């Protein structure tokens, strides 16, 4: 069973996403999940491919910030770029780019570069349709990081045809990772969640969310 360093962050984030999708969306019938409904609305079909593409669009936009898109709000600065919340400067890159020993490997904090495919570059290429799909080598750390985000968010957005879980055979994820050393502060977590909420708004979901100081490590 694979565990990611940001596992607890997933759990927290997933809980909040549940909250806001229950409250959101006037148009969507209750019988349709957010993922299925918007996959159909955005891409004209409700298939595993369009569901994955919809999840990837929201998640990559939240992380990249839409720097190549003309119609994103300036509040969307991106999880992988410096930003601010509550007048506090935030820069979460250190958790992903190896400058901080925040990944737990066999109970010791180690530094791992989770952005070894160019960080925001492949995300921007996907968002601007420069590439048809999100292109990340499947032997990279970044592929595994984002693959796990897509699985986690696919679940929280209720995709009925979710992507298969990642194979564990490649790369450092074959080690047992557990989040233990990441320990985001309140404003950092709030920034992370707010970027995801703004990215979903861009794709017409109406999020309602609250950030609670609920993350324990
Ligand atoms: C999407 O397709 C899945 C699988 O065929 C189906 O279970 C689900 O009800 C569909 N959702 C919508 C909103 O059409
Ligand atoms: C990693 O991120 C931090 C900011 O959080 C930044 O200061 C540092 O330059 C980055 N390092 C690399 C190698 O990109
Ligand atoms: C990785 O991609 C290569 C070629 O694109 C493919 O042959 C291989 O099966 C993939 N491996 C995994 C674990 O998905
Ligand atoms: C942004 O533009 C795209 C087309 O480029 C469109 O599909 C989308 O609805 C627009 N989003 C907003 C929030 O205006």
């Amino acid at each position: 069973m694979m565990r990611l360093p940001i596992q607890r962050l997933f759990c927290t984030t997933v809980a909040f996403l549940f909250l806001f999708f229950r409250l959101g969306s006037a148009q969507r019938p209750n019988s349709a999940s957010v993922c299925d409904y918007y996959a159909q609305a955005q891409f004209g079909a409700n298939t595993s491919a369009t569901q994955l593409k919809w999840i990837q669009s929201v998640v990559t936009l939240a992380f990249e910030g839409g720097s190549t898109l003309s119609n994103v709000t300036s509040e969307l600065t991106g999880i992988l770029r410096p930003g601010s919340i509550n007048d506090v400067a935030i820069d979460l890159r250190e958790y992903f780019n190896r400058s901080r020993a925040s990944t737990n490997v066999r109970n010791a904090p180690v530094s791992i570069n989770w952005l070894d495919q160019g960080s925001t570059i492949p995300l921007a290429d996907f968002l601007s349709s420069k590439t048809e799909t999100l292109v990340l080598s499947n032997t990279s750390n970044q592929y595994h990081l984002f693959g796990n985000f897509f699985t986690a968010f696919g679940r929280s957005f209720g995709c009925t045809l979710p992507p298969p879980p990642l194979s564990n055979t490649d790369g450092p994820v074959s080690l047992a990772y557990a989040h233990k050393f990441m320990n985001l502060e309140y404003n950092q977590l709030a920034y992370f969640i707010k970027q995801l909420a703004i990215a979903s708004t861009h794709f017409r979901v109406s999020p309602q969310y609250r950030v609670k100081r609920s993350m324990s490590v």
Side-chain angles (χ1 to χ4, degrees), residues 82 90-100 113 115:
I90 303 289
D91 192 342
L92 298 180
R93 290 173 304 168
E94 64 182 328
Y95 292 97
F96 300 103
N97 74 7
R98 182 197 294 173
S99 66
R100 184 183 170 116
N113 183 10
L115 305 176

Side-chain angles (χ1 to χ4, degrees), residues 58-69 72-81 120 123-124 127 191 195 199:
V58 174
V59 173
T60 56
L61 183 61
F63 277 80
E64 202 278 329
S67 64
T68 57
L69 304 179
V72 295
T73 162
S74 58
E75 278 192 293
L76 185 57
T77 37
I79 291 165
L80 292 179
R81 297 182 193 280
T120 53
L123 311 183
L127 287 165
Y191 180 76
Q195 293 300 303

Side-chain angles (χ1 to χ4, degrees), residues 42 69-72 201-204:
Q42 189 93 12
L69 304 179
S70 58
N71 63 356
V72 295
T201 306
H202 181 83
F203 291 101
R204 300 191 188 84

Side-chain angles (χ1 to χ4, degrees), residues 4-5 95-96 103 112-116 141-142 145 173 177:
L4 271 191
Y95 292 97
F96 300 103
T103 301
I112 287 183
N113 183 10
W114 290 103
L115 305 176
D116 56 351
N141 294 334
Q142 192 166 341
L145 176 71
V173 281
Y177 291 127

